[in-house]
Amino acid sequence: MPLPAPPVWQAFLQPLPAAAASSSLCVDVLRLDRVDPGLSGNKWLKLQGWWQQFQDGHYQSLLSFGGAHSNHLHALAHLAARAQVPARLLVRGYANAPLTPTLQDCLALGAQLEFLDRSQWARRYDLSWQQMLAAQHQALVIPEGGAGEPGLQGCRALADTAAGYDQVWLAVGSGTTALGLAQGLAAQGARTVLVGVNAVADQGERRRKWQQQMPASVSWQLIDDAHGGGFARCSEQLLALIQRYDALGLPLEPVYTAKLVQALEHRSALLAGQRLLLVHSGGLQGRRGYPGLGRTV
């Protein structure tokens, strides 16, 4: 079975380490990084709907887009290898550059890599180009990061666990996980507040989209000043935070989860008495792209 069976989410809950949490907070961490070693974290959730669409259609291969350290491409390569389906990964970058550990894994799993220069990469959202690629490769074309309606489907299941908390916090890239979770909370009539920590310096683009997309019944906040200067930037302070949490038994990575925890720490005094859930979205394989960090601790 290429995708693992739906887990019992409570089995992946753990308290935020006591040495890190404020005494006035009750914080649990949902360790999606532990759901599956290859289909890490929220990527497993997003790929459920896309895999169902592949099975329902007349496709011969999978095709998607991502950067050289992409957790999405890494998970998709694992899925394709398990299902014995060809995967074509369109990667931002140049073929003569050294392969990252992420891309080395993808090749080892049997995926084909095609590198896109700046102008080609800018076309990744062009629907006519996607349709051409789909026809050329008889492929199901999955948007960058697993975004889109099929990607939302699996993320809605997180509401079953999140609805028991005052607030649920998660890092935001494409925003698919957060939006799917919000839709699940709305369907349940839950009063849980969704707090997104934006990992992208996007000049307010995510906030504008959420104002249009978020269910009206869901209360949400978007923290826009925790990206540390831009996507995937890692300061000395963030590296020190990761090393501190490594010692506490909670591995984080610089792109998403470390910035999520850092944002929580900076605001802990404002959250006294709240019961919080932090969603650990996985992506620990990406640690290998940073000096001094390995994949695991």
Side-chain angles (χ1 to χ4, degrees), residues 11-284:
F12 298 96
L13 286 172
Q14 71 172 59
L16 190 71
S22 166
S23 59
S24 63
L25 290 179
C26 176
V27 184
D28 288 334
V29 182
L30 181 59
R31 296 286 305 272
L32 297 183
D33 59 302
R34 290 181 167 176
V35 171
D36 185 271
L39 296 161
S40 177
N42 63 340
K43 304 308 175 189
W44 173 82
L45 290 166
K46 294 180 185 180
L47 286 173
Q48 285 189 89
W50 286 109
W51 178 244
Q52 187 62 54
Q53 186 164 323
F54 179 88
Q55 291 181 304
D56 292 343
H58 299 285
Y59 305 102
Q60 300 300 315
S61 65
L62 294 162
L63 185 150
S64 195
F65 313 85
H69 302 277
S70 169
N71 295 319
H72 167 64
L73 294 187
H74 194 263
L76 188 62
H78 273 276
L79 172 61
R82 294 181 193 183
Q84 299 183 328
V85 170
R88 190 173 192 87
L89 311 182
L90 276 58
V91 183
R92 181 184 60 207
Y94 298 93
N96 60 354
L99 291 179
T100 63
T102 300
L103 296 182
Q104 290 175 23
D105 286 353
C106 292
L107 274 181
L109 289 162
Q112 290 184 290
L113 305 182
E114 179 179 335
F115 291 89
L116 306 180
D117 62 24
R118 186 185 298 269
S119 61
Q120 292 171 319
W121 178 251
R123 298 183 64 194
R124 66 194 185 278
Y125 300 124
D126 184 334
L127 293 180
S128 62
W129 188 47
Q130 290 184 12
Q131 291 169 358
M132 184 197 74
L133 290 169
Q136 180 180 352
H137 300 288
Q138 294 182 287
L140 173 64
V141 176
I142 302 174
E144 183 186 13
E149 176 58 32
L152 293 170
Q153 293 175 15
C155 300
R156 294 176 186 133
L158 293 177
D160 293 338
T161 301
Y165 293 84
D166 296 310
Q167 298 186 7
V168 55
W169 285 53
L170 71 168
V172 176
S174 70
T176 304
T177 305
L179 184 57
L181 171 56
Q183 291 174 350
L185 291 171
Q188 293 190 14
R191 297 184 178 181
T192 303
V193 177
L194 187 149
V195 181
V197 176
N198 199 352
V200 184
D202 61 6
Q203 293 75 51
E205 180 181 355
R206 176 62 51 206
R207 184 177 300 277
R208 289 189 291 271
K209 286 185 176 180
W210 278 12
Q211 287 169 345
Q212 297 175 345
Q213 297 171 335
M214 279 288 179
S217 62
V218 174
S219 296
W220 59 272
Q221 302 170 20
L222 184 66
I223 296 172
D224 257 333
D225 60 356
H227 50 70
F231 186 71
R233 297 280 181 89
C234 183
S235 65
E236 290 297 323
Q237 292 80 5
L238 194 68
L239 181 61
L241 180 143
I242 293 170
Q243 293 169 338
R244 175 159 56 90
Y245 275 84
D246 280 354
L248 294 170
L250 181 61
L252 305 172
E253 45 71 46
V255 181
Y256 298 107
T257 51
K259 292 177 180 178
L260 170 68
V261 172
Q262 186 178 64
L264 175 69
E265 287 193 348
H266 288 168
R267 290 159 177 80
S268 60
L270 304 175
L271 298 168
Q274 297 285 302
R275 188 163 181 257
L276 273 60
L277 176 68
L278 264 66
V279 178
H280 190 308
S281 53
L284 296 178

